[in-house]
Each structure stands twice: as structure tokens, then as C-alpha cells.
Amino acid sequence: MYTFLTESAVAAEMAMFLPRIDTMIAVFYFGLFAMSFDFISGYTGYLSFGHAAFYGLGAYFVILVANGKVPILGANTPFMVSLLVAGLLAVGLALLIGAVSFRLSGVYFAMITLGFSQILYVLFANWDFVSQNPQDGVSATVSEGFAVGIPYVDALNMRIGRLLGDTFTFGFDFVQMTGIELLSPISHTISLSGTEVSYYMIGLVVLVSYFVLQRIIHSPFGRAMIAIRENEERARAVGYDVFRVKMGAFAISGFFGAVAGGLLAGYRGSVAPENSFYFLTAGDALLASIIGGFGTIAGPLFGRLFHEGLHEFLSKEGGGLLPYLRSELGQGTLDTVIWNGFTVAEGMETFLNGRAGLYIGLLFVLFVLYVPHGLLGTLRVRLGGTVAKRLPAHIQRYLR
């Protein structure tokens, strides 16, 4: 007997294994942070374990501006302006940290940047100016979300925010043409929820940031960064001002790290020391870079998507592996005894429920051992170049 699934049933099956839209939004803004981390660590070889300093600075600055606690910028300052200023402040912070840290290299550089990040973590976790309970973080007083788009042009702005419940409806008309005959105009409308608008607008900022980072990497400055990564002494010998190149790369990565933090705060409407300045935030960026591929810019974004998608697949309720098995396996199979009264259902609860972190950790070890170039890096090695340049030729080869 054959069972034919309807289109809606297939969509339901696919949705069970795909990340939710709010998960994808988190992938976007944290993926940008991971890309900024990869920009300095993957292209110069200097691991910035304190990169969360820029992420947290951008997040806190955006919230403080919205709450009217920044004297120069008022509470009505457009979100995109505060995001830009946050990035510039991160550039200044990066130059300050880099002036001290780049006198060292290797693990010493990583540790001193981590030290700076922890100083800011302790500062914002105990600074009463931030909020009455700074350890719990701070929330924005605005409830209508933050506008992403062209500042001061309302028609070119859309509001983002996790708590937005409004539905945005867009209408447009177009005229059908058959031969030389014009038919009557047809009106169409598109309705998007607040979460969907956040998805597209945050994704747009991340996409623009990615193209800017890619352009820098493919410039003479980017080639100087790669030369430093490959052999710093040789780069110095051929005439590169190594210190200035490293400082410039650190400043650029700090700028985009702060932008990512601002997007985090803009979407969530709040920020806390634990999800911004904490040193494990940089550790998550390192994990995303290793899974996606060091020195690829786009790799960390795919690495974060892989990480979050797998975590959700192994742990979420209402979808994912465990609920899927519960719904698909018959009761007789679930009640089958494996050993000494231990049933299949109990085995699923023991080995799957709440064990996502365990399997992701094991997968990370396997990546380090057997996929050292990461997902995108391995694909580039197999194709013999960047995906954009080599993939079309490979596709044409199979289409012949």
C-alpha cells in the first residue's frame, strides 16, 4: 500500500526538521558577530578571546541610547544612527585594546584580550547607572521596537523586535499585458508578522555587512592580512606595516561585532552581561568558525546555523527528533523492553531528551579531528577554489 502525502503534509514534515524563524533571526545577528571574529582571527591568525567586549558594547549602547541615558544622543535617536555610533565606539575600544594586545602574540594575545573583556563584564554587571539591578541586565523602555532602514525616512524603515505582535500588510498594484492589450490592474497584498519583518530586516543588515567584509578581504588590505597570517616576519620583510594592518583589522572586526550586538539588543529589547560580555560568547563564535570554516567569512554563519539547527532539532518540543519519534513509532514499539525492564520510550528519554549539548560537543570534537577546514572550507578544498567561482562549472559538468 502506498501513502501519498499532500502538499500541506509535506510542508508539515519539513517544518519539523527546519529551524524556527526566531531561531534564524538569532543565527543572523550572532552569525555576524562570528564573522567579525573570523575577520580578525581567521585572516590574521590572532585569536581574539575577548571579542565579546565589542558585542556587549554595541548591545548596551543601543539600549542606553533608547532609554535616554546617553547625554549626546537623545531617546529619539534613530536605531540605525545609534547602531553606527556603537560601531564607531567599538573601533575606538579596539584601537585601545589592540595598542596593548598586539605587542604580544599567540596565547598571550588571546589571554590579554580576554582580560579586557572580563573587565567590561564586571563593570557592566555592577554599574548602577545601567539599571537598578545591573546583574540582571537592562531592558529598553520603548515598546514599539527599533526601526531598521534609512534614518529619518519613515517610508524606508521597518521595526524589529521579538515582542512585536502587529501584522504588517504591504499592498501593490500591477497591470497585466497580453500582446498589446492592457488588462485591468490587479491588486495584491502581502502580510508579514513582526517576527517575519525582523527576519528580513536583520537579514538585510547582515547581508550588507557580509558584502562589505568580503570586499575588504579581496582588497590589498585583505591580502596584507592574509600575508600576516601566513608568515608575519616575511610580511614585515617585504614592506608591510604589520602593526597598522593588525590594528586596522581589529578595528574593522570590532565595528561589525558591535553592530551584531546592537542587532541582538534591537531584536530582544534587552541585554544582560551573561549574553553579551561573557567570555563564552566569544567561545560560541570560535565554535561557529571551526564548524563553518576559519578564514571564509561566510563559514561562521553556516557554522552557527548548523549549531543552532542541530540544537533545536535535538531539543525542541513540538518538533524535532524526539517528538517526531514519539509520534511516528507505534505504542508497541515504544513499550518494547530492551533490557531488564528498560523500554524503548525510556531509552529515548534518557539519550535524547535534554542531551543536545552532549551530542553537539561530540560533533565538535569530530569536526576538529576529521573536518579541520570546516563545512565551507572543506567545500572550497573539494571544488578547488571559492564556491562562487567554482560551483557553476561543476554544476555545468553534471548537466551535460
Side-chain angles (χ1 to χ4, degrees):
M1 180 181 294
Y2 296 96
T3 302
F4 296 96
L5 296 176
T6 64
E7 184 176 348
S8 59
V10 172
E13 291 285 335
M14 290 295 296
M16 185 174 296
F17 297 96
L18 295 176
R20 298 188 300 263
I21 188 170
D22 54 337
T23 301
M24 286 302 304
I25 294 173
V27 168
F28 280 154
Y29 62 68
F30 194 88
L32 177 58
F33 172 64
M35 285 191 286
S36 72
F37 172 85
D38 184 57
F39 184 83
I40 181 67
S41 299
Y43 284 91
T44 66
Y46 281 79
L47 285 175
S48 176
F49 280 179
H51 215 67
F54 312 121
Y55 192 59
L57 177 65
Y60 267 92
F61 184 80
V62 164
I63 296 294
L64 292 177
V65 169
N67 291 347
K69 290 193 173 185
V70 178
I72 301 177
L73 302 175
N76 294 324
T77 301
F79 174 68
M80 297 301 290
V81 173
S82 62
L83 200 64
L84 176 62
V85 176
L88 295 177
L89 286 176
V91 168
L93 179 62
L95 294 176
L96 177 63
I97 295 175
V100 178
S101 303
F102 279 119
R103 300 181 186 277
L104 305 171
S105 61
V107 68
Y108 301 105
F109 173 85
M111 290 299 101
I112 197 170
T113 56
L114 176 61
F116 278 110
S117 177
Q118 287 301 100
I119 290 173
L120 291 175
Y121 171 79
V122 174
L123 172 64
F124 279 84
N126 296 277
W127 194 11
D128 293 335
F129 172 78
V130 173
S131 67
Q132 294 181 347
N133 298 301
Q135 291 186 347
D136 296 330
V138 59
S139 298
T141 56
V142 296
S143 58
E144 66 273 13
F146 294 86
V148 174
I150 306 299
Y152 305 107
V153 183
D154 293 340
L156 298 178
N157 281 274
M158 297 295 296
R159 295 192 175 273
I160 63 172
R162 183 175 59 174
L163 301 179
L164 289 179
D166 298 334
T167 299
F168 300 86
T169 302
F170 309 90
F172 59 92
D173 298 331
F174 68 93
V175 178
Q176 274 190 329
M177 179 181 295
T178 304
I180 60 173
E181 181 183 0
L182 296 179
L183 304 181
S184 58
I186 299 177
S187 298
H188 284 266
T189 58
I190 300 175
S191 296
L192 298 175
S193 66
T195 303
E196 290 171 331
V197 171
S198 300
Y199 170 84
Y200 287 112
M201 298 310 293
I202 292 176
L204 178 62
V205 175
V206 173
L207 182 64
V208 171
S209 300
Y210 164 74
F211 283 129
V212 172
L213 289 172
Q214 278 285 13
R215 183 66 191 90
I216 296 173
I217 289 299
H218 291 89
S219 69
F221 180 82
R223 288 193 289 271
M225 291 170 57
I226 297 173
I228 292 172
R229 180 189 65 189
E230 298 301 323
N231 192 319
E232 184 170 341
E233 292 301 322
R234 182 178 297 173
R236 184 180 290 109
V238 298
Y240 286 120
D241 191 333
V242 171
F243 183 75
R244 287 192 177 184
V245 172
K246 291 188 294 186
M247 290 286 285
F250 201 43
I252 294 170
S253 68
F255 178 88
F256 287 101
V259 170
L263 293 176
L264 156 74
Y267 175 66
R268 297 175 64 90
S270 64
V271 64
E274 296 295 328
N275 65 5
S276 57
F277 283 113
Y278 198 47
F279 73 95
L280 287 181
T281 304
D284 287 337
L286 174 63
L287 177 63
S289 297
I290 290 176
I291 292 177
F294 251 110
T296 59
I297 292 296
L301 179 63
F302 291 112
R304 187 63 180 179
L305 173 61
F306 184 85
H307 176 273
E308 286 296 313
L310 183 62
H311 187 277
E312 184 177 307
F313 175 66
L314 292 174
S315 62
K316 70 181 179 183
E317 291 296 327
L321 181 59
L322 185 57
Y324 178 77
L325 292 176
R326 288 172 180 163
S327 63
E328 292 298 320
L329 295 179
Q331 191 61 42
T333 303
L334 295 175
D335 293 336
T336 301
V337 177
I338 301 174
W339 177 76
N340 198 23
F342 192 69
T343 64
V344 172
E346 292 173 338
M348 289 165 47
E349 291 292 328
T350 301
F351 294 105
L352 293 179
N353 196 6
R355 302 293 187 270
L358 170 64
Y359 296 116
I360 290 174
L362 292 174
L363 189 64
F364 175 69
V365 173
L366 294 176
F367 262 89
V368 173
L369 292 176
Y370 301 107
V371 195
H373 298 291
L375 295 172
L376 188 57
T378 301
L379 185 59
R380 286 183 175 183
V381 171
R382 294 293 179 89
L383 293 176
T386 61
V387 177
K389 291 182 179 179
R390 304 295 299 174
L391 187 58
H394 280 263
I395 294 177
Q396 287 295 328
R397 182 185 306 172
Y398 288 105
L399 290 178
R400 291 173 182 172

